[in-house]
Amino acid sequence: AQTVTQSQPEMSVQEAETVTLSCTYDTSENNYYLFWYKQPPSRQMILVIRQEAYKQQNATENRFSVNFQKAAKSFSLKISDSQLGDTAMYFCAFASPAIGAGNMLTFGGGTRLMVKP
Amino acid sequence: DTGVSQDPRHKITKRGQNVTFRCDPISEHNRLYWYRQTLGQGPEFLTYFQNEAQLEKSRLLSDRFSAERPKGSFSTLEIQRTEQGDSAMYLCASSLAGFASTDTQYFGPGTRLTVL
């Protein structure tokens, strides 16, 4: 079974600074995808960034970037120039086309990020 | 494109009652997922549809739970004889996938169920 672990239940960062959220996962699959989702206090889950395991280059989306270490099974999210609107729960998630019929997501337990003014 | 919508947003019911939730996916999305999220936890997969066919069900989905997706459009999730342990946020997601690909899932706002 696949597992996703987020070891930081809560984090805080000052506005405009950089913060890194950690995620590790366990799988025997070689072909898989990793995601970071953001869930603001309104609770709608929003995709932040996505990484294909076969790509060596780390994904970036504006202020968000990942550090994907396949051998270490690590997938951290870096948020640069943190903004108050980044305050949310962040979930790391895993999916593999080889598991099940529909690429269901396996989520970590989440990290609550608070951006302070 | 209006995104994934769910109805109702909140449902309070008494133990033993039946409840039904609806999810409308993004137009043309062929995959639809249901997840359950308890407070402070990550979502857990419940079931998945490819068009109108229910192709995967989690062990979390007891016999009291049933889901349908008639005509491959909207989906309903029914919980019979609700229990207090069913209290959670029920999330729906949809995606557009081709063969042998991993799609990106887009989530709805969820239905928060409280069982008294």
Side-chain angles (χ1 to χ4, degrees), chain B residues 8-34:
Chain B
R9 296 290 305 275
H10 303 274
K11 178 70 176 180
I12 300 174
T13 190
K14 293 182 179 179
R15 188 177 54 188
Q17 298 294 305
N18 299 344
V19 294
T20 300
F21 310 141
R22 176 180 171 125
C23 170
D24 287 89
I26 294 172
S27 299
E28 308 305 321
H29 276 193
N30 53 359
R31 289 181 171 175
L32 188 147
Y33 304 79
W34 286 98

Side-chain angles (χ1 to χ4, degrees), chain B residues 10 14 16 20-21 23 34 38 40 48-49 55 57 73 80 111:
Chain B
H10 303 274
K14 293 182 179 179
T20 300
F21 310 141
C23 170
W34 286 98
T38 53
Y48 149 73
F49 291 84
L55 298 183
K57 289 196 291 187
S73 56
Q80 296 183 325
T111 294

Side-chain angles (χ1 to χ4, degrees), chain A residues 37-64:
Chain A
Y37 279 89
K38 166 186 177 181
Q39 193 174 39
S42 66
R43 298 188 71 87
Q44 180 127 19
M45 196 85 70
I46 303 166
L47 177 69
V48 175
I49 200 164
R50 162 191 167 125
Q51 174 80 44
E52 287 82 359
Y54 63 84
K55 290 186 177 178
Q56 292 187 339
Q57 186 173 6
N58 289 324
T60 63
E61 282 290 337
N62 301 315
R63 299 183 294 108
F64 299 88

Side-chain angles (χ1 to χ4, degrees), chain B:
Chain B
D1 189 344
T2 58
V4 179
S5 61
Q6 293 186 245
D7 183 71
R9 296 290 305 275
H10 303 274
K11 178 70 176 180
I12 300 174
T13 190
K14 293 182 179 179
R15 188 177 54 188
Q17 298 294 305
N18 299 344
V19 294
T20 300
F21 310 141
R22 176 180 171 125
C23 170
D24 287 89
I26 294 172
S27 299
E28 308 305 321
H29 276 193
N30 53 359
R31 289 181 171 175
L32 188 147
Y33 304 79
W34 286 98
Y35 293 85
R36 181 170 67 189
Q37 185 179 25
T38 53
L39 201 61
Q41 302 297 318
E44 296 175 296
F45 169 76
L46 291 178
T47 191
Y48 149 73
F49 291 84
Q50 173 102 5
N51 299 311
E52 68 275 8
Q54 188 175 19
L55 298 183
E56 195 86 21
K57 289 196 291 187
S58 163
R59 289 170 295 175
L60 294 175
L61 212 64
S62 76
D63 292 343
R64 297 183 297 106
F65 288 70
S66 62
E68 295 183 341
R69 192 183 182 197
K71 303 179 182 178
S73 56
F74 71 92
S75 176
T76 58
L77 177 68
E78 181 183 16
I79 309 174
Q80 296 183 325
R81 305 180 303 281
T82 52
E83 302 172 355
Q84 288 185 328
D86 297 332
S87 296
M89 178 76 84
Y90 290 84
L91 297 172
C92 177
S94 71
S95 67
L96 177 63
F99 180 74
S101 69
T102 289
D103 40 305
T104 294
Q105 296 179 32
Y106 297 90
F107 282 81
T111 294
R112 176 169 295 285
L113 172 66
T114 301
V115 181
L116 301 177

